[in-house]
Coordinates of all heavy atoms in Angstrom, one line a residue:
M1 N 0.7 -1.2 0.0 CA 0.0 0.0 0.0 C 0.8 1.2 0.0 O 0.7 2.2 -0.8 CB -0.9 0.0 1.2 CG -1.9 1.2 1.2 SD -3.0 1.2 -0.2 CE -3.6 2.8 0.0
K2 N 1.8 1.2 0.9 CA 2.7 2.5 1.0 C 3.5 2.8 -0.3 O 3.5 3.9 -0.7 CB 3.7 2.2 2.2 CG 4.6 3.4 2.5 CD 5.3 3.2 3.8 CE 6.2 4.4 4.0 NZ 7.4 4.5 3.3
N3 N 4.0 1.6 -0.8 CA 4.8 1.8 -2.0 C 3.9 2.2 -3.2 O 4.3 3.1 -4.0 CB 5.5 0.5 -2.4 CG 6.7 0.3 -1.6 OD1 7.2 1.1 -0.9 ND2 7.1 -1.0 -1.4
Y4 N 2.7 1.6 -3.2 CA 1.8 2.0 -4.2 C 1.5 3.4 -4.3 O 1.5 4.1 -5.3 CB 0.5 1.0 -4.1 CG -0.5 1.5 -5.2 CD1 -0.5 0.8 -6.5 CD2 -1.5 2.3 -5.1 CE1 -1.2 1.1 -7.5 CE2 -2.3 2.7 -6.0 CZ -2.3 2.1 -7.2 OH -3.2 2.6 -8.2
M5 N 1.0 4.0 -3.1 CA 0.7 5.3 -3.1 C 1.9 6.3 -3.4 O 1.8 7.3 -4.0 CB 0.1 5.7 -1.6 CG -1.2 5.0 -1.3 SD -2.4 5.2 -2.7 CE -2.7 6.9 -2.6
E6 N 3.0 5.8 -2.9 CA 4.3 6.5 -3.1 C 4.5 6.8 -4.6 O 4.9 7.7 -5.2 CB 5.5 5.9 -2.3 CG 5.8 6.6 -1.0 CD 7.0 6.1 -0.5 OE1 8.0 5.9 -1.2 OE2 7.0 5.8 0.7
D7 N 4.4 5.5 -5.4 CA 4.6 5.5 -6.7 C 3.6 6.5 -7.5 O 4.1 7.3 -8.2 CB 4.5 4.1 -7.3 CG 5.6 3.2 -6.9 OD1 6.5 3.7 -6.4 OD2 5.4 2.0 -7.1
V8 N 2.3 6.4 -7.0 CA 1.4 7.3 -7.8 C 1.7 8.7 -7.3 O 1.8 9.6 -8.3 CB 0.0 7.0 -7.0 CG1 -1.0 8.0 -7.7 CG2 -0.5 5.6 -7.6
I9 N 2.0 9.0 -6.1 CA 2.5 10.5 -5.8 C 3.6 11.0 -6.4 O 3.6 12.0 -7.1 CB 2.6 10.5 -4.3 CG1 1.4 10.2 -3.3 CG2 3.4 11.8 -3.8 CD1 0.5 11.4 -3.2
R10 N 4.6 10.1 -6.6 CA 5.7 10.6 -7.4 C 5.5 10.8 -8.8 O 6.0 11.8 -9.4 CB 6.8 9.5 -7.2 CG 7.7 9.5 -5.9 CD 8.6 8.4 -5.8 NE 9.1 8.3 -4.4 CZ 9.9 9.0 -3.9 NH1 10.5 10.0 -4.6 NH2 10.3 8.9 -2.7
E11 N 4.8 9.9 -9.4 CA 4.4 10.0 -10.9 C 3.6 11.3 -11.1 O 3.9 12.0 -12.0 CB 3.6 8.8 -11.2 CG 3.9 8.3 -12.6 CD 3.0 7.1 -12.9 OE1 3.3 6.0 -12.2 OE2 2.1 7.1 -13.7
V12 N 2.5 11.4 -10.2 CA 1.6 12.6 -10.5 C 2.5 14.0 -10.3 O 2.3 14.9 -10.9 CB 0.4 12.6 -9.6 CG1 -0.5 13.8 -9.7 CG2 -0.4 11.3 -10.0
F13 N 3.4 13.8 -9.2 CA 4.1 15.1 -8.8 C 5.0 15.3 -9.9 O 5.2 16.6 -10.4 CB 5.0 14.8 -7.6 CG 5.7 16.0 -7.1 CD1 5.2 17.3 -7.2 CD2 7.0 15.8 -6.4 CE1 5.9 18.3 -6.7 CE2 7.8 16.9 -6.0 CZ 7.1 18.2 -6.0
A14 N 5.6 14.4 -10.6 CA 6.4 14.7 -11.8 C 5.8 15.5 -12.8 O 6.2 16.4 -13.5 CB 7.0 13.4 -12.4
E15 N 4.5 15.0 -13.1 CA 3.7 16.0 -14.0 C 3.4 17.2 -13.6 O 3.4 18.3 -14.4 CB 2.4 15.1 -14.3 CG 2.5 13.8 -15.1 CD 1.3 12.9 -15.1 OE1 0.3 13.4 -14.9 OE2 1.5 11.6 -15.1
V16 N 3.0 17.3 -12.4 CA 2.7 18.6 -11.8 C 3.8 19.6 -11.8 O 3.8 20.8 -12.3 CB 2.3 18.6 -10.2 CG1 2.2 20.0 -9.6 CG2 0.9 17.9 -10.2
L17 N 5.1 19.0 -11.7 CA 6.3 20.0 -11.8 C 6.6 20.4 -13.1 O 6.8 21.6 -13.4 CB 7.5 19.1 -11.3 CG 7.9 19.0 -9.9 CD1 9.1 18.3 -9.6 CD2 7.9 20.4 -9.1
K18 N 6.2 19.6 -14.1 CA 6.3 20.0 -15.5 C 5.5 21.2 -15.7 O 5.8 22.1 -16.6 CB 6.0 18.9 -16.4 CG 7.3 18.0 -16.8 CD 6.9 17.0 -17.9 CE 7.0 15.6 -17.5 NZ 6.2 14.6 -18.3
N19 N 4.3 21.2 -15.2 CA 3.2 22.2 -15.5 C 3.4 23.4 -14.6 O 2.8 24.4 -14.8 CB 1.9 21.7 -15.3 CG 1.5 20.6 -16.4 OD1 2.0 20.8 -17.5 ND2 0.9 19.6 -15.9
N20 N 4.4 23.2 -13.6 CA 4.6 24.3 -12.7 C 6.1 24.6 -12.5 O 6.7 24.5 -11.6 CB 4.1 24.1 -11.3 CG 2.6 24.0 -11.3 OD1 1.8 25.0 -11.2 ND2 2.0 22.7 -11.4
P21 N 6.6 25.2 -13.6 CA 8.2 25.4 -13.7 C 8.6 26.4 -12.7 O 9.8 26.5 -12.3 CB 8.5 25.8 -15.0 CG 7.2 26.4 -15.6 CD 6.0 25.5 -15.0
D22 N 7.7 27.2 -12.2 CA 8.0 28.2 -11.2 C 8.2 27.7 -9.8 O 8.8 28.2 -8.9 CB 7.0 29.4 -11.1 CG 7.0 30.2 -12.2 OD1 8.0 30.2 -13.1 OD2 6.1 31.0 -12.5
F23 N 7.8 26.3 -9.6 CA 7.9 25.8 -8.2 C 9.4 25.5 -7.9 O 10.0 25.0 -8.8 CB 7.1 24.6 -8.1 CG 7.2 24.0 -6.7 CD1 6.7 24.5 -5.6 CD2 7.9 22.9 -6.6 CE1 6.8 24.0 -4.3 CE2 8.0 22.1 -5.3 CZ 7.4 22.8 -4.1
C24 N 9.8 25.8 -6.8 CA 11.2 25.6 -6.4 C 11.5 24.1 -6.7 O 10.9 23.3 -6.2 CB 11.4 25.9 -4.9 SG 13.1 25.5 -4.4
Q25 N 12.6 23.9 -7.4 CA 12.9 22.5 -7.8 C 14.0 21.9 -6.9 O 14.6 20.9 -7.2 CB 13.5 22.5 -9.3 CG 12.6 23.2 -10.2 CD 11.5 22.2 -10.7 OE1 11.8 21.1 -11.0 NE2 10.3 22.8 -11.0
C26 N 14.3 22.5 -5.7 CA 15.5 22.0 -4.9 C 14.9 20.7 -4.2 O 13.6 20.6 -4.1 CB 15.9 23.0 -3.9 SG 14.9 23.3 -2.5
E27 N 15.7 19.8 -3.9 CA 15.4 18.5 -3.2 C 14.6 18.7 -1.9 O 13.7 17.8 -1.7 CB 16.7 17.8 -2.9 CG 17.2 17.1 -4.1 CD 16.4 16.3 -5.0 OE1 15.7 15.5 -4.4 OE2 16.3 16.5 -6.1
K28 N 14.9 19.8 -1.1 CA 14.2 20.0 0.1 C 12.6 20.2 -0.2 O 11.8 19.5 0.5 CB 14.9 21.1 0.8 CG 14.2 21.3 2.2 CD 14.7 20.4 3.2 CE 13.9 20.6 4.5 NZ 14.0 19.2 5.2
C29 N 12.3 21.0 -1.1 CA 10.9 21.4 -1.4 C 10.2 20.1 -2.1 O 9.2 20.0 -1.8 CB 10.9 22.5 -2.2 SG 11.4 24.1 -1.4
K30 N 11.1 19.5 -2.9 CA 10.3 18.4 -3.5 C 10.1 17.3 -2.5 O 9.0 16.7 -2.5 CB 11.3 17.8 -4.7 CG 11.2 18.8 -5.9 CD 11.8 18.0 -7.0 CE 13.3 18.2 -7.2 NZ 13.8 17.7 -8.5
Q31 N 11.0 17.0 -1.5 CA 10.8 16.0 -0.5 C 9.7 16.4 0.3 O 8.9 15.7 0.8 CB 12.1 15.8 0.4 CG 13.3 15.2 -0.2 CD 12.8 13.8 -0.9 OE1 12.0 13.0 -0.1 NE2 13.1 13.4 -1.9
D32 N 9.5 17.8 0.7 CA 8.4 18.2 1.5 C 7.1 18.0 0.9 O 6.2 17.6 1.5 CB 8.7 19.7 1.8 CG 9.8 19.9 2.9 OD1 10.2 19.0 3.6 OD2 10.0 21.1 3.2
V33 N 7.0 18.2 -0.4 CA 5.8 18.1 -1.1 C 5.4 16.6 -1.1 O 4.4 16.3 -0.8 CB 5.8 18.6 -2.6 CG1 4.6 18.1 -3.4 CG2 5.9 20.1 -2.6
L34 N 6.4 15.8 -1.4 CA 6.0 14.2 -1.5 C 5.6 13.8 0.0 O 4.7 13.1 0.1 CB 7.3 13.7 -1.9 CG 7.7 13.6 -3.3 CD1 9.0 13.0 -3.6 CD2 6.6 13.1 -4.2
A35 N 6.2 14.4 1.0 CA 5.9 13.9 2.3 C 4.6 14.4 2.8 O 3.7 13.6 3.3 CB 6.9 14.3 3.3
L36 N 4.3 15.7 2.4 CA 3.0 16.3 2.7 C 1.9 15.4 1.9 O 0.8 15.2 2.6 CB 2.9 17.7 2.4 CG 3.2 18.7 3.3 CD1 3.4 20.1 2.7 CD2 2.4 18.8 4.5
A37 N 2.1 15.3 0.7 CA 1.1 14.8 -0.2 C 0.7 13.3 0.3 O -0.4 12.9 0.4 CB 1.4 14.8 -1.6
L38 N 1.8 12.6 0.6 CA 1.7 11.3 1.1 C 0.9 11.1 2.4 O 0.1 10.3 2.5 CB 3.1 10.7 1.1 CG 3.1 9.1 1.1 CD1 2.5 8.5 -0.1 CD2 4.5 8.6 1.3
S39 N 1.2 12.0 3.3 CA 0.4 12.0 4.5 C -1.0 12.4 4.4 O -1.9 11.8 5.1 CB 1.2 12.9 5.6 OG 1.0 14.3 5.3
K40 N -1.3 13.2 3.5 CA -2.7 13.6 3.2 C -3.4 12.4 2.6 O -4.4 12.1 3.0 CB -2.7 14.8 2.2 CG -2.5 16.1 2.8 CD -2.6 17.1 1.6 CE -1.7 18.4 1.9 NZ -2.2 19.3 3.0
I41 N -2.8 11.9 1.6 CA -3.4 10.6 0.9 C -3.6 9.5 2.0 O -4.7 8.8 1.9 CB -2.4 10.3 -0.3 CG1 -2.6 11.1 -1.4 CG2 -2.7 8.8 -0.7 CD1 -4.1 10.9 -2.1
K42 N -2.5 9.3 2.7 CA -2.7 8.1 3.7 C -3.8 8.3 4.7 O -4.4 7.3 5.0 CB -1.2 7.9 4.3 CG -0.4 7.0 3.5 CD 0.6 6.3 4.3 CE 1.5 7.2 4.8 NZ 2.9 6.7 5.3
G43 N -3.9 9.5 5.1 CA -5.1 9.8 6.0 C -6.4 9.6 5.4 O -7.3 9.0 6.0
R44 N -6.6 9.8 4.1 CA -7.8 9.5 3.4 C -8.0 8.1 3.2 O -9.1 7.6 3.2 CB -7.7 10.1 1.9 CG -8.0 11.6 1.9 CD -8.1 12.0 0.4 NE -9.4 11.5 0.0 CZ -10.2 12.3 -0.7 NH1 -9.8 13.6 -1.0 NH2 -11.4 12.0 -1.1
Y45 N -7.0 7.3 3.0 CA -7.2 5.9 2.7 C -6.8 4.9 3.9 O -7.1 3.8 3.7 CB -6.3 5.4 1.4 CG -6.8 6.0 0.2 CD1 -6.4 7.2 -0.2 CD2 -7.7 5.3 -0.5 CE1 -7.0 7.7 -1.5 CE2 -8.3 5.7 -1.7 CZ -8.0 7.0 -2.1 OH -8.4 7.5 -3.3
A46 N -6.6 5.5 5.1 CA -6.3 4.7 6.2 C -7.5 4.3 6.8 O -7.3 3.4 7.7 CB -5.4 5.5 7.2
A47 N -8.7 4.7 6.5 CA -9.9 4.4 7.3 C -10.4 3.0 7.0 O -11.0 2.4 8.1 CB -11.1 5.4 6.8
S48 N -10.0 2.3 6.0 CA -10.5 1.0 5.7 C -9.5 -0.1 6.0 O -8.4 0.2 6.1 CB -10.9 0.8 4.2 OG -11.7 1.9 3.9
P49 N -9.9 -1.4 6.2 CA -9.0 -2.4 6.5 C -8.2 -2.5 5.3 O -8.6 -2.2 4.2 CB -9.8 -3.6 6.8 CG -11.1 -3.1 7.0 CD -11.2 -1.8 6.5
E50 N -6.9 -3.1 5.4 CA -5.9 -3.0 4.3 C -6.4 -3.8 3.0 O -6.1 -3.4 1.8 CB -4.7 -3.6 4.7 CG -3.7 -2.6 4.8 CD -2.2 -3.2 5.3 OE1 -1.5 -3.7 4.5 OE2 -1.8 -2.9 6.4
G51 N -7.0 -5.0 3.2 CA -7.5 -5.7 2.2 C -8.4 -4.9 1.3 O -8.3 -4.8 0.0
E52 N -9.3 -4.3 2.0 CA -10.3 -3.4 1.3 C -9.7 -2.4 0.4 O -10.1 -2.0 -0.6 CB -11.4 -2.9 2.3 CG -12.6 -2.4 1.7 CD -13.4 -1.6 2.8 OE1 -13.5 -2.2 3.9 OE2 -13.9 -0.6 2.5
I53 N -8.6 -1.7 1.2 CA -8.0 -0.6 0.4 C -7.5 -1.0 -0.9 O -7.7 -0.4 -2.0 CB -6.8 0.0 1.3 CG1 -7.4 0.6 2.5 CG2 -6.1 1.0 0.5 CD1 -6.4 0.9 3.6
F54 N -6.8 -2.3 -0.8 CA -6.1 -2.7 -2.1 C -7.1 -3.0 -3.3 O -7.0 -2.5 -4.3 CB -5.4 -4.1 -1.8 CG -3.9 -3.8 -1.6 CD1 -3.2 -4.1 -0.4 CD2 -3.1 -3.4 -2.6 CE1 -1.9 -4.0 -0.2 CE2 -1.7 -3.2 -2.3 CZ -1.1 -3.4 -1.3
A55 N -8.2 -3.6 -2.8 CA -9.1 -3.8 -3.9 C -9.6 -2.5 -4.4 O -9.9 -2.3 -5.6 CB -10.4 -4.7 -3.2
R56 N -9.9 -1.7 -3.5 CA -10.5 -0.3 -3.9 C -9.5 0.6 -4.8 O -9.9 1.1 -5.7 CB -10.8 0.6 -2.7 CG -11.9 1.6 -2.8 CD -12.7 1.8 -1.6 NE -11.9 2.1 -0.4 CZ -11.8 3.3 0.0 NH1 -12.3 4.3 -0.6 NH2 -11.0 3.4 1.2
V57 N -8.2 0.4 -4.4 CA -7.2 1.1 -5.1 C -7.2 0.6 -6.5 O -7.1 1.3 -7.5 CB -5.9 1.0 -4.4 CG1 -4.7 1.2 -5.5 CG2 -5.8 1.9 -3.3
E58 N -7.2 -0.8 -6.6 CA -7.1 -1.3 -8.1 C -8.3 -0.9 -8.9 O -8.2 -0.6 -10.1 CB -6.8 -2.7 -8.0 CG -5.5 -3.0 -7.4 CD -5.1 -4.4 -7.6 OE1 -5.9 -5.2 -8.3 OE2 -4.0 -4.8 -6.9
Q59 N -9.5 -1.0 -8.3 CA -10.6 -0.7 -9.1 C -10.8 0.8 -9.4 O -11.4 1.1 -10.3 CB -11.9 -1.1 -8.2 CG -12.2 -2.5 -8.3 CD -13.3 -2.9 -7.2 OE1 -13.8 -2.1 -6.5 NE2 -13.3 -4.2 -7.0
A60 N -10.3 1.7 -8.5 CA -10.5 3.0 -8.6 C -9.2 3.8 -8.8 O -8.9 4.9 -8.3 CB -11.2 3.5 -7.3
D61 N -8.4 3.4 -9.7 CA -7.0 3.9 -10.0 C -7.2 5.4 -10.4 O -6.4 6.3 -9.9 CB -6.3 3.2 -11.0 CG -4.9 3.5 -11.1 OD1 -4.2 3.3 -10.1 OD2 -4.4 4.0 -12.0
R62 N -8.2 5.6 -11.2 CA -8.5 7.1 -11.6 C -8.8 7.9 -10.4 O -8.2 9.0 -10.3 CB -9.7 7.1 -12.7 CG -9.3 6.8 -14.0 CD -10.6 7.3 -14.9 NE -10.2 8.3 -15.7 CZ -9.5 8.3 -16.8 NH1 -9.1 7.2 -17.2 NH2 -9.4 9.3 -17.4
Q63 N -9.6 7.5 -9.5 CA -10.0 8.2 -8.4 C -8.7 8.5 -7.5 O -8.5 9.5 -7.0 CB -11.0 7.5 -7.6 CG -11.6 8.3 -6.4 CD -12.1 9.7 -6.8 OE1 -12.9 9.6 -7.7 NE2 -11.8 10.8 -6.1
V64 N -7.9 7.5 -7.3 CA -6.7 7.6 -6.5 C -5.8 8.7 -7.1 O -5.2 9.5 -6.4 CB -5.8 6.3 -6.5 CG1 -4.6 6.4 -5.8 CG2 -6.7 5.2 -5.6
R65 N -5.6 8.7 -8.5 CA -4.9 9.6 -9.1 C -5.4 11.0 -8.9 O -4.6 12.0 -8.8 CB -4.7 9.4 -10.6 CG -3.8 8.4 -10.8 CD -3.6 8.0 -12.2 NE -2.4 6.9 -12.3 CZ -1.4 7.3 -12.5 NH1 -1.0 8.6 -12.7 NH2 -0.4 6.4 -12.5
T66 N -6.7 11.2 -8.9 CA -7.3 12.5 -8.8 C -7.1 12.9 -7.4 O -6.7 14.2 -7.1 CB -8.9 12.4 -9.0 OG1 -9.1 12.0 -10.3 CG2 -9.5 13.8 -8.9
D67 N -7.2 12.1 -6.4 CA -6.9 12.4 -5.0 C -5.5 12.9 -4.9 O -5.1 13.7 -4.2 CB -7.2 11.2 -4.1 CG -8.8 11.0 -4.0 OD1 -9.5 12.0 -4.3 OD2 -9.1 9.9 -3.4
A68 N -4.6 12.0 -5.5 CA -3.2 12.4 -5.3 C -2.9 13.6 -6.0 O -2.1 14.5 -5.4 CB -2.4 11.2 -6.2
L69 N -3.5 14.0 -7.0 CA -3.2 15.3 -7.7 C -3.7 16.4 -6.8 O -3.0 17.4 -6.5 CB -4.1 15.4 -9.0 CG -3.8 16.6 -9.8 CD1 -2.3 16.9 -10.1 CD2 -4.7 16.7 -11.0
L70 N -4.9 16.3 -6.2 CA -5.3 17.3 -5.3 C -4.5 17.4 -4.0 O -4.0 18.5 -3.7 CB -6.7 17.0 -4.8 CG -7.9 17.3 -5.6 CD1 -9.2 16.6 -5.1 CD2 -8.1 18.7 -6.0
A71 N -3.9 16.4 -3.5 CA -3.1 16.4 -2.4 C -1.8 17.1 -2.7 O -1.2 17.8 -1.9 CB -2.8 14.9 -1.9
I72 N -1.3 16.8 -3.9 CA -0.1 17.3 -4.4 C -0.1 18.9 -4.5 O 0.6 19.7 -4.1 CB 0.6 16.7 -5.6 CG1 1.0 15.3 -5.2 CG2 1.7 17.5 -6.3 CD1 1.2 14.3 -6.5
M73 N -1.2 19.3 -5.3 CA -1.5 20.7 -5.5 C -1.6 21.5 -4.2 O -0.9 22.5 -4.0 CB -2.9 20.9 -6.3 CG -2.9 20.3 -7.5 SD -1.5 20.9 -8.7 CE -2.1 22.5 -9.1
Q74 N -2.2 20.8 -3.2 CA -2.2 21.5 -1.8 C -0.9 21.5 -1.2 O -0.5 22.6 -0.7 CB -3.2 20.7 -0.9 CG -4.7 20.9 -1.2 CD -5.6 20.1 -0.3 OE1 -5.1 19.2 0.5 NE2 -6.9 20.0 -0.6
A75 N -0.2 20.5 -1.3 CA 1.2 20.4 -0.8 C 2.1 21.4 -1.5 O 2.8 22.1 -0.8 CB 1.7 19.0 -0.9
V76 N 2.0 21.6 -2.7 CA 2.8 22.6 -3.5 C 2.5 23.9 -3.1 O 3.3 24.7 -2.8 CB 2.5 22.4 -5.0 CG1 3.0 23.6 -5.8 CG2 3.2 21.2 -5.5
Q77 N 1.2 24.2 -2.9 CA 0.9 25.6 -2.4 C 1.4 25.8 -1.0 O 1.9 26.8 -0.6 CB -0.6 25.7 -2.3 CG -1.3 26.1 -3.8 CD -2.8 26.1 -3.8 OE1 -3.3 25.9 -2.7 NE2 -3.2 26.1 -5.0
Q78 N 1.3 24.8 -0.1 CA 1.8 24.8 1.3 C 3.3 25.1 1.3 O 3.7 26.0 1.9 CB 1.6 23.7 2.0 CG 0.6 23.8 3.2 CD 0.3 22.3 3.8 OE1 -0.5 21.8 3.2 NE2 0.8 22.1 4.9
V79 N 4.0 24.4 0.5 CA 5.5 24.5 0.6 C 5.9 25.8 -0.1 O 6.9 26.3 0.3 CB 6.1 23.3 -0.2 CG1 7.6 23.5 -0.4 CG2 5.9 22.0 0.6
S80 N 5.2 26.1 -1.3 CA 5.5 27.5 -1.9 C 5.3 28.6 -1.0 O 6.1 29.5 -1.0 CB 4.7 27.7 -3.1 OG 4.7 26.7 -4.0
A81 N 4.2 28.6 -0.2 CA 4.0 29.7 0.7 C 4.9 29.8 1.9 O 5.2 30.7 2.5 CB 2.6 29.6 1.3
N82 N 5.5 28.7 2.3 CA 6.4 28.6 3.5 C 7.5 27.5 3.1 O 7.5 26.5 3.9 CB 5.7 28.2 4.7 CG 6.4 28.4 5.9 OD1 7.4 29.1 5.9 ND2 5.9 27.7 7.0
P83 N 8.4 27.8 2.2 CA 9.5 26.9 2.0 C 10.4 26.7 3.2 O 10.8 27.7 3.9 CB 10.1 27.5 0.7 CG 9.8 28.9 0.7 CD 8.5 29.1 1.4
R84 N 10.8 25.4 3.3 CA 11.7 25.2 4.4 C 13.3 25.2 4.1 O 14.0 25.1 5.1 CB 11.3 23.9 5.1 CG 9.9 24.0 5.7 CD 9.7 22.8 6.7 NE 9.9 21.5 6.2 CZ 10.4 20.5 6.8 NH1 10.7 20.6 8.1 NH2 10.6 19.3 6.2
H85 N 13.5 25.2 2.9 CA 14.8 25.3 2.5 C 15.4 26.7 3.0 O 14.8 27.6 3.2 CB 15.1 25.3 0.9 CG 14.4 26.4 0.1 ND1 13.5 26.1 -0.9 CD2 14.4 27.8 0.4 CE1 13.1 27.2 -1.3 NE2 13.5 28.2 -0.6
D86 N 16.7 26.6 3.3 CA 17.2 27.9 4.0 C 18.4 28.4 3.0 O 18.7 27.6 2.1 CB 17.8 27.8 5.4 CG 18.8 26.7 5.6 OD1 19.8 26.7 4.8 OD2 18.7 25.9 6.5
R87 N 18.8 29.6 3.2 CA 19.7 30.2 2.2 C 21.1 29.5 2.1 O 21.7 29.7 1.2 CB 19.8 31.7 2.5 CG 18.7 32.6 1.9 CD 18.6 33.9 2.7 NE 17.8 33.7 3.8 CZ 17.8 34.6 4.8 NH1 18.5 35.7 4.6 NH2 17.1 34.4 5.9
T88 N 21.4 28.9 3.2 CA 22.6 28.3 3.3 C 22.7 26.7 2.7 O 23.5 26.2 2.7 CB 23.3 28.1 4.6 OG1 22.5 27.5 5.6 CG2 23.5 29.7 5.1
A89 N 21.5 26.3 2.5 CA 21.1 25.0 2.0 C 22.2 24.7 0.7 O 22.3 25.6 -0.1 CB 19.8 24.7 1.6
D90 N 22.5 23.5 0.6 CA 23.4 23.2 -0.6 C 22.7 22.7 -1.7 O 22.5 21.6 -2.0 CB 24.3 22.0 -0.1 CG 25.3 21.7 -1.1 OD1 25.6 22.5 -2.0 OD2 25.9 20.7 -1.0
F91 N 22.0 23.7 -2.4 CA 21.5 23.4 -3.7 C 21.5 24.5 -4.7 O 22.1 25.6 -4.4 CB 20.0 23.1 -3.5 CG 19.2 24.4 -3.1 CD1 18.7 25.2 -4.0 CD2 19.0 24.6 -1.8 CE1 17.9 26.4 -3.7 CE2 18.3 25.7 -1.4 CZ 17.5 26.7 -2.5
T92 N 21.5 24.3 -5.9 CA 21.6 25.2 -7.0 C 20.4 25.4 -7.8 O 19.8 24.4 -8.1 CB 22.9 24.9 -7.8 OG1 22.7 23.7 -8.4 CG2 24.2 25.1 -7.2
I93 N 20.1 26.6 -8.2 CA 18.9 26.7 -9.2 C 19.5 27.3 -10.6 O 20.1 28.3 -10.5 CB 17.8 27.5 -8.6 CG1 17.4 26.9 -7.4 CG2 16.6 27.6 -9.6 CD1 16.3 27.8 -6.6
D94 N 19.3 26.7 -11.6 CA 19.8 27.2 -12.9 C 18.9 28.3 -13.4 O 17.8 27.8 -14.1 CB 20.1 26.1 -14.0 CG 21.1 25.2 -13.5 OD1 22.0 25.6 -12.9 OD2 20.9 24.0 -13.8
K95 N 19.1 29.4 -13.1 CA 18.2 30.6 -13.6 C 19.1 31.8 -14.0 O 20.1 32.1 -13.3 CB 17.1 30.9 -12.6 CG 16.0 30.2 -12.9 CD 14.7 30.5 -11.9 CE 13.6 29.7 -12.2 NZ 12.6 29.7 -11.0
Ligands
ZN1 ZN1 13.4 24.9 -2.4

């Protein structure tokens, strides 16, 4: 379950990044978005017993992706509004 949701989140996030070139591309912000989105998604899907989740996930792949996209968009906004990278962090932006 964890790996499945992580895969979906990473895949959808990669698409979101392509469409949002202004979002900070440093590892810290990307990790923060992934972690936030994953925790939001897990909260949504944690309510049912695991077997049921699996069945539901496979049947409702589209719905999972839509939920993942929403969670990522929220996480992107959250991280953009309050990025946790500091000025001394070891990253470079090609601009
Ligand atoms: Zn950043």
Side-chain angles (χ1 to χ4, degrees):
M1 183 61 193
K2 184 169 183 282
N3 285 342
Y4 178 86
M5 293 313 293
E6 264 184 42
D7 287 351
V8 173
I9 292 276
R10 282 175 191 282
E11 212 178 294
V12 175
F13 183 37
E15 286 167 30
V16 169
L17 276 182
K18 271 191 239 163
N19 295 322
N20 293 274
D22 289 341
F23 180 71
C24 179
Q25 306 276 324
C26 81
E27 284 307 311
K28 183 78 192 153
C29 290
K30 287 197 273 194
Q31 287 303 318
D32 280 354
V33 169
L34 288 175
L36 268 172
L38 199 58
S39 69
K40 288 178 202 292
I41 280 285
K42 278 203 293 198
R44 281 190 76 130
Y45 287 88
S48 316
E50 253 181 68
E52 192 188 321
I53 298 170
F54 259 117
R56 204 146 56 98
V57 160
E58 288 188 13
Q59 281 166 13
D61 196 60
R62 275 192 112 80
Q63 185 59 46
V64 172
R65 285 180 171 271
T66 305
D67 289 348
L69 181 61
L70 283 174
I72 289 165
M73 296 306 283
Q74 283 172 9
V76 162
Q77 279 171 12
Q78 239 173 289
V79 173
S80 300
N82 191 17
R84 293 198 307 148
H85 58 232
D86 57 49
R87 274 159 279 164
T88 58
D90 184 23
F91 68 87
T92 52
I93 302 171
D94 294 325
K95 263 182 188 165

